[in-house]
Amino acid sequence: MNYIQIKDLSKSYSDIQALKDLSIEINAGTLFGILGPNGAGKSTLIKILATLVEPDGGEVFVNNINLIKNPRKIRELIGYVAQDIALDKILTGRELLDFQSDLYHMNKKEKYERIKLLINQLEMNDWIDRKCGTYSGGMKRRIDLASGLLHLPKVLILDEPTVGLDIESRNIIWELLKDLKNDGMTIILSSHYLDEIDKLADSLVIIDDGKVIAQGTPAQLKNKLGGDRITLKVREFSTHEEAKKISEILSSINGISQIIINKSQGYSINFVVDKEKDLLTKLKVELAFSKFEIFSLAQSQPSLDDVYLQATGKTLLDAEISMTGKRDLKKESKQSMR
Amino acid sequence: MELKQYNLFFLYQETVALTKRLFIQLKRRPSTLLAGILQPIIWLFLFGALFSKAPEGFLPGVNSYGNFLGAGLIVFTAFSGALNSGLPLMFDREFGFLNRLLVAPLASRLSIVLSSFFYITILSFVQSIVIMIVSFVLGYGWPEFYGLGIVFATLILLVLFVTSVSLCLAFVLPGHIELIALIFVINLPLLFASTALAPISFMPSWLGWLASLNPLTFAIEPIRVAYTQTMNLDIVALHAPYGDLTCKSCISILFSLTVFSLIIIRPLLNRKLN
């Protein structure tokens, strides 16, 4: 059953089109991953779902409630954990949770029980009565997550919740998310960590430049790529012409498909080989015949990064790096201020 | 009906929570409160001393300059506090804490504004009462019971008016640097262009006009009457270039300004908060 329906969603910030007619469907009680490099539009989508940003066009329904027409009803259903953790440094963690529960109109008994439970679940007993200003990144994230879960939301929306976290905090959060999903909560998790989405998500969408480029379960998306993924280099840094020649050689071999020249990795060649065939011997012969030597050759199971690479011609990491220089974070921060 | 009652309770619950948060901040960082009290006390001492040897009858209707100055500094204290009331909201905007409030299913986002009003009104009252006590100890007088009521009523109107302007600025300006800069620009000139430190008769004509149109003057003069005379709303409190104004007229103008400012900021708050 589609619990959340997003139809033709679009949003622009002055001259930048953050979302371009995005359509997604999310089932109830699943963990849905939103994967994409920084600047792909993930946070804009998350903010629209959290009723913080109004879209320019399109519709969103949560449990058949129109998000744009009834934002308050939606707010009762959702818990939101923002990318930038905004805590009141002066309050203690317990005071913050108490404050938050009043904003969700919880009664005293309910409030006391939920706060106690979450403190135990997220292992916050040792430091919950310290001021938030003294917390480490992991502690801040845990208290932030606890405040998003206080009112037992039907949908939990998390925007890159494990960025910069230590392994212990990350594991605690992952375990909690698995438990919440098992209890029937619908979870929307945006991340640019491939392993996080691969491990946790039942289904996912990959967003690039404000558009959906792939959608399905992690297994479906990886299986679509066919066999194993090979990354080949004939020199540490090849030229475009060289890479093109090799690409032509590879395309003549039966059983090799989806050949991509990866410019950002020294013109390495990525391709897929049929599992059933032993093509590597043939490949070596063909390359030697054209006077190429193998500098490096790596074989791996298809990953979500390969799905991204297949769709965009670049890896997620390369996309991140290329976006870093282009983004004006100060301007974006001002634009997102109410 | 049931839903409306629930909403009213929820509005109460969230307003109390938001106000409580501001008071916890104040308790743990009392410097704002202390500075807001210390500054006018220093002024009271320094300005009181500056004109202590002024000839008798130098200021009509008062027995000392301190007696004249008290009303001005009480109003200035409340005014400065209210003018700064937009800062916590601006910081919440900048650091993303406001988003935490906006994703919550608040019965009404008016609670965000209401909590600021309650907080700053109580804070201004505490600061003003301390100034009043210090003035009394220094021998600058104490209003009688009815006059005290007028002092507090006037302060409430002024605080409401200035707080609404400050909250509006907190939403309109891009950041706290700009807000603080504007507060610096507004604060002292408004004080000097009012009757806080000198009566209109001491001022050049153009400044007299400015002072008699300054909202601070409409708050200062009824309070000054409460300090220097037996309070009666029909007493002429201000000899403005455009005519005499009674205490009632001054308070009515202040009331109108407050209502007007609340009406003006409503669409902006609706736009920013909804």
Side-chain angles (χ1 to χ4, degrees), chain A residues 47 50-52 54 72 75-76 78 80 84-92 95-96 98-107 111 131 143-144 147-148 151 333-334 336-338, chain B residues 7 9-11 13-14 17-18 20-21 24-25 28-29 90 92-109 170-171 173-175 178 271-274:
Chain A
K47 278 181 184 159
T51 73
L52 282 171
E54 207 172 312
R72 208 190 136 200
R75 285 177 203 128
E76 286 170 5
I78 60 163
Y80 172 57
D84 300 317
I85 311 165
L87 302 177
D88 188 329
K89 289 180 190 172
I90 308 289
L91 300 184
T92 66
E95 283 166 345
L96 184 84
D98 188 70
F99 167 76
Q100 188 86 14
S101 54
D102 279 331
L103 299 186
Y104 284 86
H105 314 119
M106 293 165 74
N107 64 44
K111 189 163 62 167
K131 283 184 200 165
I143 195 88
D144 199 28
S147 55
H151 60 295
S333 155
K334 289 279 175 202
S336 67
M337 256 173 75
R338 293 288 281 238
Chain B
N7 274 343
F9 175 72
F10 289 162
L11 178 68
Q13 189 181 12
E14 62 208 31
L18 287 159
K20 192 176 151 193
R21 173 182 164 234
I24 292 174
Q25 287 179 337
R28 295 195 181 142
R29 277 188 182 167
M90 177 59 95
D92 280 351
R93 269 184 77 205
E94 285 186 313
F95 297 124
F97 197 86
L98 185 66
N99 284 348
R100 187 181 286 281
L101 312 181
L102 297 180
V103 293
L106 299 178
S108 167
R109 286 172 169 183
F171 276 116
L173 296 174
E178 290 80 1
R271 190 156 51 85
K272 290 284 179 180
L273 291 174
N274 289 321

Side-chain angles (χ1 to χ4, degrees), chain B residues 18-274:
Chain B
L18 287 159
T19 313
K20 192 176 151 193
R21 173 182 164 234
L22 294 170
F23 276 105
I24 292 174
Q25 287 179 337
L26 181 71
K27 190 181 152 197
R28 295 195 181 142
R29 277 188 182 167
S31 51
T32 324
L33 175 73
L34 295 177
I37 291 171
L38 274 177
Q39 193 197 29
I41 288 177
I42 292 167
W43 284 47
L44 204 58
F45 271 106
L46 291 180
F47 274 93
L50 192 65
F51 294 101
S52 60
K53 290 193 175 171
E56 230 170 273
F58 165 69
L59 289 162
V62 291
N63 43 25
S64 70
Y65 184 67
N67 190 215
F68 177 87
L69 186 66
L73 290 185
I74 289 165
V75 167
F76 180 61
T77 306
F79 169 70
S80 299
L83 197 59
N84 285 312
S85 64
L87 273 173
L89 184 64
M90 177 59 95
F91 285 125
D92 280 351
R93 269 184 77 205
E94 285 186 313
F95 297 124
F97 197 86
L98 185 66
N99 284 348
R100 187 181 286 281
L101 312 181
L102 297 180
V103 293
L106 299 178
S108 167
R109 286 172 169 183
L110 185 69
S111 54
I112 298 170
V113 177
L114 276 179
S115 61
S116 290
F117 276 126
F118 287 140
Y119 168 72
I120 218 69
T121 305
I122 295 167
L123 187 66
S124 300
F125 266 55
V126 170
Q127 290 174 328
S128 301
I129 288 168
V130 174
I131 305 302
M132 287 168 78
I133 292 169
V134 173
S135 301
F136 175 71
V137 171
L138 292 172
Y140 300 150
W142 184 265
E144 59 179 31
F145 186 71
Y146 178 46
L148 202 61
I150 295 296
V151 170
F152 289 139
T154 310
L155 287 181
I156 286 180
L157 287 177
L158 180 75
V159 165
L160 279 175
F161 168 56
V162 182
T163 302
S164 59
V165 173
S166 184
L167 292 178
C168 184
L169 291 174
F171 276 116
V172 169
L173 296 174
H176 74 273
I177 303 284
E178 290 80 1
L179 182 58
I180 290 171
L182 196 67
I183 289 171
F184 267 119
V185 171
I186 293 173
N187 207 356
L188 287 181
L190 265 180
L191 175 75
F192 288 114
S194 74
T195 56
L197 305 175
I200 286 184
S201 57
F202 282 28
M203 299 176 190
S205 160
W206 63 270
L207 189 57
W209 269 97
L210 270 183
S212 59
L213 294 170
N214 185 339
L216 289 192
T217 300
F218 300 124
I220 291 165
E221 291 306 324
I223 293 177
R224 187 163 286 146
V225 169
Y227 260 80
T228 54
Q229 299 175 51
T230 303
M231 190 66 203
N232 180 340
L233 285 175
D234 293 321
I235 290 175
V236 173
L238 178 68
H239 298 288
Y242 48 79
D244 288 348
L245 292 180
T246 61
C247 290
K248 202 194 285 174
S249 314
C250 287
I251 293 170
S252 301
I253 293 171
L254 201 57
F255 178 77
S256 308
L257 284 172
T258 307
V259 172
F260 181 69
S261 68
L262 291 172
I263 292 170
I264 291 286
I265 68 158
R266 221 184 128 185
L268 175 86
L269 293 178
N270 278 342
R271 190 156 51 85
K272 290 284 179 180
L273 291 174
N274 289 321

Side-chain angles (χ1 to χ4, degrees), chain A residues 188-310:
Chain A
I188 300 173
L189 170 71
S190 110
S191 180
H192 59 267
Y193 292 149
L194 297 159
D195 59 333
E196 186 165 72
I197 295 288
D198 209 355
K199 270 185 193 156
L200 298 175
D202 297 304
S203 57
L204 74 139
V205 68
I206 301 180
I207 299 180
D208 186 64
D209 196 24
K211 290 177 293 195
V212 172
I213 56 167
Q215 192 167 358
T217 67
Q220 276 171 352
L221 293 176
K222 286 185 280 188
N223 288 341
K224 265 188 199 170
L225 293 179
D228 284 358
R229 207 79 214 171
I230 307 281
T231 303
L232 168 72
K233 280 184 171 188
V234 291
R235 275 198 289 151
E236 189 167 11
F237 299 102
S238 295
T239 60
H240 182 60
E241 289 70 34
E242 203 169 41
K244 257 185 107 179
K245 266 187 199 167
I246 298 162
S247 171
E248 279 161 20
I249 296 166
L250 294 176
S251 56
S252 66
I253 302 172
N254 191 19
I256 288 181
S257 60
Q258 300 175 36
I259 305 158
I260 290 169
I261 299 171
N262 193 341
K263 183 184 164 188
S264 58
Q265 287 185 352
Y267 289 101
S268 65
I269 318 282
N270 294 76
F271 55 93
V272 174
V273 288
D274 276 359
K275 276 179 187 170
E276 288 75 26
K277 295 175 184 169
D278 177 25
L279 294 165
L280 291 182
T281 320
K282 194 171 183 192
L283 171 71
K284 280 176 195 165
V285 173
E286 290 288 339
L287 286 174
F289 185 71
S290 302
K291 295 189 176 139
F292 285 116
E293 276 180 33
I294 294 176
F295 175 78
S296 73
L297 189 134
Q299 184 168 4
S300 60
Q301 299 276 313
S303 69
L304 289 177
D305 202 20
D306 295 321
V307 177
Y308 185 79
L309 178 70
Q310 190 61 42

Side-chain angles (χ1 to χ4, degrees), chain A residues 6-270:
Chain A
I6 300 165
K7 293 177 190 170
D8 304 324
L9 207 62
S10 60
K11 176 72 189 171
S12 295
Y13 297 106
S14 52
D15 53 337
I16 299 162
Q17 211 178 341
L19 296 179
K20 299 167 185 169
D21 297 325
L22 203 99
S23 295
I24 298 170
E25 290 184 342
I26 301 169
N27 289 339
T30 59
L31 197 151
F32 186 83
I34 302 173
L35 188 66
N38 283 325
K42 301 191 300 293
S43 288
T44 301
L45 173 61
I46 290 279
K47 278 181 184 159
I48 290 173
L49 292 175
T51 73
L52 282 171
V53 169
E54 207 172 312
D56 298 335
E59 285 180 315
V60 180
F61 292 90
V62 179
N63 197 20
N64 293 321
I65 302 166
N66 189 319
L67 178 137
I68 295 146
K69 287 181 183 157
N70 300 296
R72 208 190 136 200
K73 277 190 179 170
I74 299 294
R75 285 177 203 128
E76 286 170 5
L77 296 177
I78 60 163
Y80 172 57
V81 178
Q83 184 177 2
D84 300 317
I85 311 165
L87 302 177
D88 188 329
K89 289 180 190 172
I90 308 289
L91 300 184
T92 66
R94 196 185 297 276
E95 283 166 345
L96 184 84
L97 294 179
D98 188 70
F99 167 76
Q100 188 86 14
S101 54
D102 279 331
L103 299 186
Y104 284 86
H105 314 119
M106 293 165 74
N107 64 44
K108 267 190 177 176
K109 191 176 169 239
E110 210 183 352
K111 189 163 62 167
Y112 174 79
E113 283 170 2
R114 282 296 294 159
I115 291 175
K116 197 177 159 192
L117 180 79
L118 285 164
I119 289 172
N120 288 330
Q121 263 185 325
L122 285 156
E123 300 175 26
M124 303 190 291
N125 271 302
D126 292 345
W127 43 268
I128 192 70
D129 291 310
R130 271 168 45 193
K131 283 184 200 165
C132 294
T134 65
Y135 291 173
S136 69
M139 291 168 173
K140 281 181 188 168
R141 182 54 80 191
R142 278 191 255 173
I143 195 88
D144 199 28
L145 184 57
S147 55
L149 286 168
L150 265 174
H151 60 295
L152 271 174
K154 296 269 182 270
V155 180
L156 180 65
I157 302 169
L158 304 116
D159 194 1
E160 313 223 9
T162 56
V163 171
L165 288 195
D166 55 282
I167 295 169
E168 187 203 346
S169 295
R170 197 164 84 147
N171 287 339
I172 290 173
I173 289 173
W174 280 11
E175 286 310 310
L176 181 73
L177 293 182
K178 283 179 197 165
D179 290 346
L180 291 170
K181 189 187 76 175
N182 292 337
D183 291 343
M185 193 179 280
T186 306
I187 300 168
I188 300 173
L189 170 71
S190 110
S191 180
H192 59 267
Y193 292 149
L194 297 159
D195 59 333
E196 186 165 72
I197 295 288
D198 209 355
K199 270 185 193 156
L200 298 175
D202 297 304
S203 57
L204 74 139
V205 68
I206 301 180
I207 299 180
D208 186 64
D209 196 24
K211 290 177 293 195
V212 172
I213 56 167
Q215 192 167 358
T217 67
Q220 276 171 352
L221 293 176
K222 286 185 280 188
N223 288 341
K224 265 188 199 170
L225 293 179
D228 284 358
R229 207 79 214 171
I230 307 281
T231 303
L232 168 72
K233 280 184 171 188
V234 291
R235 275 198 289 151
E236 189 167 11
F237 299 102
S238 295
T239 60
H240 182 60
E241 289 70 34
E242 203 169 41
K244 257 185 107 179
K245 266 187 199 167
I246 298 162
S247 171
E248 279 161 20
I249 296 166
L250 294 176
S251 56
S252 66
I253 302 172
N254 191 19
I256 288 181
S257 60
Q258 300 175 36
I259 305 158
I260 290 169
I261 299 171
N262 193 341
K263 183 184 164 188
S264 58
Q265 287 185 352
Y267 289 101
S268 65
I269 318 282
N270 294 76

